[in-house]
Amino acid sequence: MARDRVRISRRHAVSTAVAAAALAGGLGLGLAQQHATAATAGASGKAPASQGGGTASGPTGGAWLALKDGHLAYGQDAQGNRIPDYSSAGYEGGGVTLPKAPVKATVPAPGTGDATAAVQAAIDKVAALPQGADGIRGAVQLAPGQYHIAGQLHLGASGVVLRGSGTDSTTLVADQPSVRTLVTIGDKSRYTPVGTAQQVTDDYVPVGGTTLTLGSTAGLNAGDEVVVERPTTQAWIDALGMTDAWTPNWSLRSERKITAVHGNKVTLDIPLTTALEKQYTQATVYKYTFPRIDHVGVENLALDGQAMSGDPDYAKSFYNAAPWEFNAVQDSWITGVTWRHFGGSGQTFLGPQSRRISVLHTQALDFNTTDSSARSEAYLLQGQQNLVQDCAVTAPMIHAFSTYGRQSGPNVFSRCKATLVDKTYDAGGHERWGSGTLYDNVQIDGSLLLVNNGSRGSGHGWSDANSTAYNCTTQQYMAQEPPTAHNWAIGCTGTLMNGSDGQIESDGKHLLPDSLYDQQLLDRHAAARGSRS
């Protein structure tokens, strides 16, 4: 298969008007124009190069990605930035088979009454069992039938799996006209630093980098779990052109493991997805605690939220009608699950405290939303190292695959498909520096947008940064270049929208390998085997 590697600049992109005219039932002209003009309007101006405001250069030679001798080869820019390795996303860090939990409690076949208490009692029974060496306590087995849930179910202990008898057999049915999340997983938590935070002394650590120089490595050892904290400063906000939209009251916190210590240098297991720039911020590294539950699963069932649409305030509150929410949870999963008739903002909401979650072989179908100025999200990723793979969406108007802001990634959507049923879809970061997202072999009847959303919403601004769209099939797509960062679109089909000044290669032609996530996973495991031999 020929591999075309063509950089396409803003001046070569087709006009937004032509793109919109070509899309029967696709993204409306007005909305497309709003995105196309975001880079030059409102809070979106780029900092001058003299201020260190951009990484505008492409790869110093060749392409950003190439498949050579069965393995990926990466280009990098003059500062060393490259496409990150996203393959650590998913259960146990990616590529690990989900465990099969033994049944430890069963719930009898449902009747017509409220089954909330019966199902919750079975969950609590298993939660009281000892956790095995594999992290599992056991599974709650649901019988075929419709379990009416008038309240809310909660999985709050490690090692508990809620399992149905199949998506066409077992259904959890919302049974009251009240907006809510039907199943919550985990509770809220917080970071607690342990010991002394050590300053990063490098002037610049690029995207994709794993080696940091510290003021001291005293007390740090290989195997330690650490946070790399990158505070947001006014200087960086100004460089992004977000002066009137953002405030410096947050940090990116990347959870990593130290794999080696050599003098004052530490090596991390997972690359960074936002550069550490000393001219803008002083990054630190510290050990920490962050209580989470783990090895929690939901399997082989369906959910139906139709009754929630009877809420008297549904026209305004439908965003909160959701099947799931993951809070402080890691190394957990949803697999073989279908849900219908919810309206929630984040049908599968992997929240900012979630980590290493796999959502596999799922469907979010037939949304109940209203004519609102804003859309709900079907699949919403925050947190770190989260994977949504082999999913499907149907809805009238939706953000199909999206992220919220202030996330350090990496996170992955892979082999997911959104099928148009009424108006249009879009996908891409929603707001405020959703860093390090891979949209891998995603198909969408609408627009894929890695863009500056400017003053839209509450001042969403740069919504994707150092994110990659790879081999995506779209009606139209846009990738814009944030100051201090990149966005990549490689091997994507559909109309390239005006304003796409990001890193574009092989526009209109898919490449090998078919899946970047799968190939990065293969390469990483091969390298690990080689280092052990």
Side-chain angles (χ1 to χ4, degrees), residues 273-295:
T273 63
T274 293
L276 306 182
E277 306 136 300
K278 200 168 186 180
Q279 64 175 321
Y280 295 131
T281 187
Q282 179 58 68
T284 58
V285 174
Y286 53 86
K287 293 191 287 187
Y288 71 105
T289 61
F290 192 97
R292 290 182 171 97
I293 63 171
D294 56 74
H295 293 85

Side-chain angles (χ1 to χ4, degrees), residues 322-342:
W324 320 102
E325 181 178 0
F326 280 83
N327 293 303
V329 186
Q330 68 181 11
D331 295 327
S332 298
W333 63 90
I334 292 178
T335 184
V337 176
T338 298
W339 51 96
R340 294 179 172 85
H341 306 132
F342 291 88

